[in-house]
Amino acid sequence: MGNKNLSNVKSKVKPPRLDGAKVGLFSTRTPHRPNAIGLSVAKVEGLDEKGALILSGIDLLDGTPILDVKPYVREYDSLPEAVTAEWIQTPKVESFKRVEWNPSALDTLNGYSNQLDLYAGNPKALQNAIEQVVHLDIRTVHERQNKSGNVPDLSHAFRIDNLLVEFVVEGDVATIKKIRHANAPKGQK
């Protein structure tokens, strides 16, 4: 378990919200860590037919092993006096003014309604989650620096549930162009 090649792990990372500023990797939520151990609050939804836990709201990448599950105890686990770092409260990167959908991308999303894992049968909730992610401008500093337009119609992508979402940016508007199943070949929906 863990990152097998520790020589590639950098002690400082550049979160997209900081527009190129570096911070220590353990002060971020980067998946690029020297080990695969993390801590996340999750909701226990139940058990599947094999007796495995079904969790939601968890901050993990696919394939991350779950080593332990503990009950949430408000008196011990809630820290009302905790302080959030200023760089998290006040990101340097502006959110987009608007997020738009290519009509065919929205149709594709609705067509996947019954093939989703986390958002099964609830494409409206997934549409809302996609819009929230895109609105925050998750592009890397290098992608944002394409302001001169030297790569016209530069497409950006991220995975949510079992879908790959592609979007483009023009000014302060992001447009969701394509949705496809994450396991589908690039040219296929």
Side-chain angles (χ1 to χ4, degrees), residues 17-18 21 29 32 37 51 59 67 69 109 111 118 145:
R17 296 168 56 108
L18 290 185
R29 292 175 170 257
H32 309 291
I37 297 174
D59 186 17
L67 303 179
V69 177
L109 174 68
L118 300 172
Q145 288 175 346

Side-chain angles (χ1 to χ4, degrees), residues 1-66:
M1 194 166 23
N3 190 331
K4 302 226 185 313
N5 186 356
L6 295 179
S7 65
N8 290 337
V9 176
K10 306 230 184 299
S11 63
K12 296 212 173 213
V13 294
K14 298 176 182 179
R17 296 168 56 108
L18 290 185
D19 204 27
K22 288 185 175 184
V23 294
L25 78 89
F26 292 117
S27 69
T28 71
R29 292 175 170 257
T30 181
H32 309 291
R33 297 176 167 275
N35 64 50
I37 297 174
L39 184 64
S40 183
V41 174
K43 179 180 179 187
V44 176
E45 297 286 351
L47 300 173
D48 70 8
E49 60 280 349
K50 296 177 184 174
L53 279 174
I54 300 171
L55 303 174
S56 67
I58 198 160
D59 186 17
L60 301 176
L61 295 174
D62 285 348
T64 302
I66 296 174

Side-chain angles (χ1 to χ4, degrees), residues 85-160:
E86 183 183 328
W87 71 265
I88 293 173
Q89 292 178 2
T90 313
K92 293 181 180 179
V93 175
E94 295 277 329
S95 296
F96 291 114
K97 298 265 189 269
R98 212 168 58 246
V99 175
E100 299 176 346
W101 284 81
N102 178 310
S104 66
L106 199 51
D107 290 344
T108 302
L109 174 68
N110 290 323
Y112 278 121
S113 178
N114 294 323
Q115 298 177 40
L116 302 172
D117 292 331
L118 300 172
Y119 292 90
N122 198 349
K124 192 66 181 164
L126 179 56
Q127 177 184 345
N128 187 39
I130 290 169
E131 289 172 8
Q132 288 176 24
V133 169
V134 172
H135 177 72
L136 290 174
D137 193 356
I138 59 169
R139 297 175 298 161
T140 67
V141 66
H142 301 293
E143 291 172 328
R144 275 195 301 280
Q145 288 175 346
N146 182 40
K147 294 176 185 162
S148 65
N150 54 1
V151 183
D153 297 324
L154 181 63
S155 181
H156 313 280
F158 66 96
R159 184 177 173 155
I160 185 167

